[in-house]
Amino acid sequence: MSAGILYLVATPIGNLEDMTFRAVRILKEVDLIAAEDTRTSGVLLSHYDIHTPVTSYHEHNKIEKIPSLLAALREGKSVAVITDAGTPGISDPGEELVAACAEEGIAVYALPGAVAAVTALVSSGLSARRFAFEAFLPKKKKLRADVLNELKKETRTIIIYEAPHHLRATLKELGGVFGEERRLVLCRELTKKFEEKQMMTFAEAAAFYQESQPRGEYVLVIEGRPREDAASENAAKWADISVAEHYEQYLSEGLSSKEAMKQVAADRGISKNEVYAAVKK
């Protein structure tokens, strides 16, 4: 008997009309739907007259539920994973089940659809060419500090999710990390009737939400650090040693000559030809 297929089915992030024809068809055809919240998904399934059996698969039961879902797939049954909103695996359950299927050679197909991060990004007015998606920041203090330290240097547009009851504290914290004059776009109620996007600085956002009550789930789209600032700071780190000494340091760490030259050039914001000229004197 051949194994079944796992489908990752994206669902609307607000507007029920944002469901693809293919997604509706697959949800009707599969043997089982694994839903993050059966009550929330029940509204969607009822709207599209879908009567496929449903089981719960969420953050708190995903580890113990994976064996039974794998067993169903091994028996040749097809399973669809859906979350409360958006694409499974993007800040929602799904990643671990996909990894388990990959280990066993079980086919996995993802049906394209809504993702809050991308919806916010492309409509934000900030650069969408390069971006870093962080989802929800870690709650543990040490891990959170490490992540924010990495993001502080990020030149790409940054996307972060936040709940309304944490928004004020997060805006204050991020303003301290990125600088109060860094721009961001606060997106809320995406695809819903009262969708709202506001571009402002962190200082303006903090002040606004001291007077206004945060409502709804937020996507923060944050302007990346200017590349010239990052390059200047990076070059300053190596000001105390020569280009040749910098190059020798990377050789001692096991890099090839070509790799060392490339890394020195990147560190200092200079060309590889300039590095070559300095080390060949």
Side-chain angles (χ1 to χ4, degrees), residues 231-243 245-247 249-250 253 263-264 266-269:
S232 296
E233 184 179 285
N234 209 23
K237 293 178 183 178
W238 305 100
D240 293 336
I241 63 173
S242 69
V243 173
E245 289 171 325
H246 194 166
Y247 169 75
Q249 180 176 316
Y250 280 127
E253 293 174 6
Q263 190 59 54
V264 171
D267 288 346
R268 291 176 175 263

Side-chain angles (χ1 to χ4, degrees), residues 134-138 144-145 147-153 158-163 166-186 201-206 218-223:
E134 190 58 44
F136 288 95
L137 291 169
R144 189 181 183 96
V147 168
L148 289 175
N149 188 51
E150 290 177 6
L151 293 178
K152 183 178 181 179
K153 308 164 191 172
I158 301 162
I159 305 171
I160 292 173
Y161 290 163
E162 190 52 280
H166 291 310
L167 183 68
R168 286 171 173 159
T170 297
L171 287 173
K172 183 177 179 180
E173 181 181 27
L174 294 180
V177 171
F178 298 121
E180 293 192 342
E181 295 309 306
R182 180 81 69 89
R183 294 189 304 168
L184 78 157
V185 179
L186 294 101
T201 65
F202 274 103
E204 291 168 339
Y218 284 80
V219 182
L220 309 183
V221 185
I222 304 166
E223 190 172 43

Side-chain angles (χ1 to χ4, degrees), residues 65-138:
K65 205 61 182 279
I66 285 175
S68 63
L69 293 174
L70 286 176
L73 289 162
R74 290 191 202 101
E75 291 170 5
K77 294 179 179 178
S78 54
V79 177
V81 174
I82 60 175
T83 63
D84 291 350
T87 300
I90 302 295
S91 195
D92 275 322
E95 182 179 346
E96 292 85 358
L97 178 58
V98 172
C101 286
E103 286 186 8
E104 297 204 17
I106 295 172
V108 179
Y109 295 105
L111 278 61
V115 180
V118 174
T119 302
L121 174 66
V122 298
S123 60
S124 69
L126 297 178
S127 174
R129 192 177 72 84
R130 301 168 64 250
F131 63 94
F133 175 58
E134 190 58 44
F136 288 95
L137 291 169

